[in-house]
């Protein structure tokens, strides 16, 4: 097909993520899973979840996904939620629910929403800034502690009478670390502030890592103060892109999430999420992948990730590199040890030129890896190229080595 050839041609300069040398943007659980996601997507590519009466199939799939998600994340019987287009939409909806719930309380206390604020660690995703920007709220980012974790005491100090939301990540994107959610919960309960856990990365990863013996601090609805959780299916749920979940502890809270209006020539409209049209393909693909993998499939994938991470971090130690904090899941950042003047961004560039595509972190500088199950197959090649890259960076002097700039933004 001529158009297919042209489409393939358009990808000429894209990252070749199927070669397993990419550790950002794309999750590679294996060709079989990608096929299941593709077939399910194609079957429902024209259907629209905006119309549940027209497409009860999609409503049923969404309800089943939410029910499985609540089960996995220890949601109470009162729990509920929706599928969304991605982590950012789930986060916007959590912040919107919290803001609208806060309005009544503010009115009682004679306050306006002006200056209403979110308190979150520096490591929380920028989607919260986006949500605050859209929703007219203020952001207070608090420095993390020496272990790169949310500093609960500093966050408590940052709260005032207009603080409506506290955020912890499980794990955060930059370092792959799970924040001390129980300590944040204490603040939330003491001060009656909404606590959101951003498990966009971990929602469909942590439960299986825990089943494989990984110890994490309690991070989900087991923690009393947690009111909402964002968990992405298009990350470690391995679904096609465009699928996340926003989960609420109660239906009362969830009622603040929706939008409803009547004064329209075409009748009234009521939507649970930001989107109008909601792609059926994304919902069907997520539903199918969850059923295809099941608990055993997800456990098998996390085992491969954990093995890859352990071998890679052992390799870092041999090269004199240090991991930021103590990541126990699939994301990590690493860089030079304290006092070592190795330019880690120069190392990143050498790796990049050899086809390894990954992100960076800054302050302290480092290389960021988001591991997929398929990375287990390329660990030795990666460590070999990393060894060369470190040697090259150390052998160089002058601007290239000492002033290697942070690569342009990738995320
Ligand atoms: C922890 C975390 N939260 C939120 C997001 C935003 O998700 P999305 O890119 O699907 O909107 C990401 C994306 O990487 C993330 O890692």
């Amino acid at each position: 097909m001529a158009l297919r050839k042209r489409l393939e041609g358009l990808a000429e300069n894209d990252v070749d993520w199927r070669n397993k040398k990419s550790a950002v943007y794309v999750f590679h659980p294996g060709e079989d899973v990608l096929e299941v996601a593709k077939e399910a997507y194609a079957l429902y590519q024209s259907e629209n979840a905006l119309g549940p009466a027209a497409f009860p199939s999609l409503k049923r799939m969404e309800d089943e996904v939410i029910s499985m998600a609540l089960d996995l994340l220890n949601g109470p019987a009162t729990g509920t939620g929706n599928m969304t287009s991605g982590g950012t939409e789930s986060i916007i909806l959590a912040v919107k629910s919290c803001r609208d719930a806060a309005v009544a309380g503010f009115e009682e206390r004679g306050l306006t929403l002006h200056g209403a604020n979110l308190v979150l660690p520096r490591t929380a995703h920028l989607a919260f800034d986006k949500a605050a920007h859209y929703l007219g709220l203020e952001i207070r980012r608090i420095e993390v502690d020496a272990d790169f974790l949310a500093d609960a005491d500093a966050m408590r100090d940052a709260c005032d009478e207009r603080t409506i939301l506290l955020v912890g990540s499980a794990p955060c994107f930059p370092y792959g670390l799970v924040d001390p959610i129980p300590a944040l919960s204490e603040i939330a309960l003491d001060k009656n502030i909404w606590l959101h856990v951003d498990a966009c990365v971990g929602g469909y990863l942590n439960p299986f890592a825990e089943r494989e013996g990984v110890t994490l601090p309690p991070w989900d609805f087991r923690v009393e103060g947690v009111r909402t959780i964002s968990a992405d299916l298009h990350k470690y749920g391995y679904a096609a892109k465009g699928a996340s979940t926003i989960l609420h502890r109660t239906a009362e809270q969830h009622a603040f999430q929706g939008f409803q209006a009547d004064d329209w020539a075409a009748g009234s409209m009521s939507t649970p999420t930001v989107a109008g049209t909601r792609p059926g393909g994304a919902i069907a693909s997520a539903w199918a992948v969850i059923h295809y993998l099941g608990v055993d499939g997800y456990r098998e994938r996390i085992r491969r990730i954990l093995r890859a991470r352990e071998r890679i971090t052992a390799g870092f130690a041999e090269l004199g590199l240090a991991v930021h904090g103590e990541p126990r899941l699939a994301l990590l950042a690493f860089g030079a040890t304290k006092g070592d003047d190795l330019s880690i961004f120069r190392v990143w560039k050498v790796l990049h030129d050899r086809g390894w595509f990954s992100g960076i972190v800054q302050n302290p500088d480092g290389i960021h890896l988001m591991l997929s199950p398929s990375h287990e197959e390329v660990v030795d090649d990666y460590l070999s190229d990393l060894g060369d890259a470190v040697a090259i960076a150390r052998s160089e002097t002058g601007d290239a080595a000492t002033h290697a700039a942070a690569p342009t933004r990738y995320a």
Side-chain angles (χ1 to χ4, degrees):
M1 185 176 68
L3 280 175
R4 187 187 175 103
K5 277 220 151 21
R6 282 174 63 191
L7 283 168
E8 285 168 356
L10 285 169
E12 195 182 11
N13 297 319
D14 287 1
V15 153
D16 177 12
W17 54 270
R18 282 176 200 273
N19 69 9
K20 298 157 193 154
K21 291 176 80 170
S22 241
V24 62
Y25 294 132
V26 179
F27 299 79
H28 196 328
E31 290 298 328
D32 56 335
V33 184
L34 298 177
E35 270 311 307
V36 171
K38 187 159 82 181
E39 203 180 323
Y41 203 106
L43 268 176
Y44 280 87
Q45 67 177 358
S46 301
E47 280 70 7
N48 187 348
L50 175 62
F55 303 109
S57 55
L58 293 175
K59 169 81 176 108
R60 178 165 171 193
M61 284 185 247
E62 180 178 13
D63 287 348
E64 287 182 15
V65 167
I66 294 301
S67 155
M68 285 185 277
L70 285 165
D71 203 32
L72 212 51
L73 273 55
N74 297 293
T78 52
T80 185
N82 287 100
M83 290 183 71
T84 71
S85 63
T88 301
E89 187 180 355
S90 293
I91 286 169
I92 289 171
L93 289 172
V95 178
K96 191 258 186 213
S97 308
C98 163
R99 186 199 64 172
D100 288 1
V103 170
F106 269 44
E107 275 168 7
E108 267 168 35
R109 288 186 282 148
L111 298 173
T112 65
L113 268 186
H114 181 74
N117 63 78
L118 282 47
V119 170
L120 64 172
R122 185 168 72 88
T123 47
H125 199 272
L126 283 176
F128 291 97
D129 295 57
K130 191 182 269 187
H133 179 70
Y134 288 168
L135 294 164
L137 301 167
E138 207 181 90
I139 280 278
R140 295 185 179 171
R141 283 192 171 265
I142 310 303
E143 190 50 84
V144 288
D145 68 14
D147 298 320
F148 300 93
L149 298 170
D151 183 337
D153 290 338
M155 285 175 67
R156 182 188 283 275
D157 291 345
C159 292
D160 64 17
E161 60 172 2
R162 284 184 162 83
T163 302
I164 60 170
L165 184 74
L166 283 163
V167 177
S169 308
C172 67
F173 180 76
Y175 307 123
L177 303 170
V178 176
D179 285 326
I181 305 300
L184 300 181
S185 167
E186 257 180 52
I187 307 170
L189 294 172
D190 277 1
K191 295 180 177 283
N192 192 24
I193 297 173
W194 191 296
L195 173 59
H196 178 79
V197 171
D198 180 11
C200 281
V201 165
Y204 300 96
L205 186 75
N206 305 356
F208 306 108
E210 287 176 317
R211 283 168 174 77
E212 290 300 319
V214 173
T215 307
L216 301 174
W219 58 276
D220 59 14
F221 285 115
R222 282 168 290 187
V223 186
E224 198 189 339
V226 174
R227 295 202 201 172
T228 37
I229 301 181
S230 45
D232 289 359
L233 288 155
H234 64 197
K235 292 191 171 70
Y236 288 100
Y238 305 120
K241 295 230 178 343
S244 169
T245 45
I246 174 68
L247 305 167
H248 287 257
R249 182 175 284 280
T250 67
E252 290 75 49
Q253 282 178 202
H254 181 249
F256 291 105
Q257 183 187 294
F259 172 82
Q260 208 275 326
D262 300 316
D263 186 14
W264 186 32
S268 67
M269 186 189 244
S270 166
T271 56
T273 61
V274 176
T277 290
R278 300 171 73 206
I283 293 174
S285 149
W287 184 93
V289 169
I290 290 173
H291 280 88
Y292 175 74
L293 283 171
V295 172
D296 290 346
Y298 283 110
R299 286 182 70 162
E300 194 271 337
R301 274 25 179 220
I302 183 70
R303 281 201 294 275
R304 282 157 62 189
I305 289 173
L306 294 174
R307 285 198 297 263
R309 200 204 66 226
E310 273 157 30
R311 283 170 55 208
I312 289 177
T313 45
F316 293 160
E318 282 175 26
L319 293 169
L321 300 167
V323 175
H324 292 20
E326 268 186 57
R328 296 177 188 174
L329 296 158
L331 270 60
L332 60 91
F334 69 96
T337 51
K338 250 205 177 111
D340 182 350
D341 62 2
L342 172 73
S343 167
I344 199 69
F345 291 149
R346 180 68 185 129
V347 172
W348 182 93
K349 179 74 170 65
V350 175
L351 287 168
H352 183 261
D353 292 347
R354 291 189 182 192
W356 297 101
F357 198 86
S358 73
I360 57 107
V361 292
Q362 47 192 357
N363 302 320
D365 297 344
I367 294 174
H368 182 264
L369 296 178
M370 191 172 76
L371 299 174
S372 277
S374 302
H375 285 132
E376 193 186 11
E377 298 160 41
V378 296
V379 169
D380 290 337
D381 294 344
Y382 183 70
L383 287 174
S384 163
D385 279 341
L386 178 62
D388 289 353
V390 169
I392 290 168
R394 288 204 192 285
S395 71
E396 289 173 345
T397 51
D399 280 0
T402 51
H403 298 298
T408 43
R409 288 309 297 161
Y410 57 88

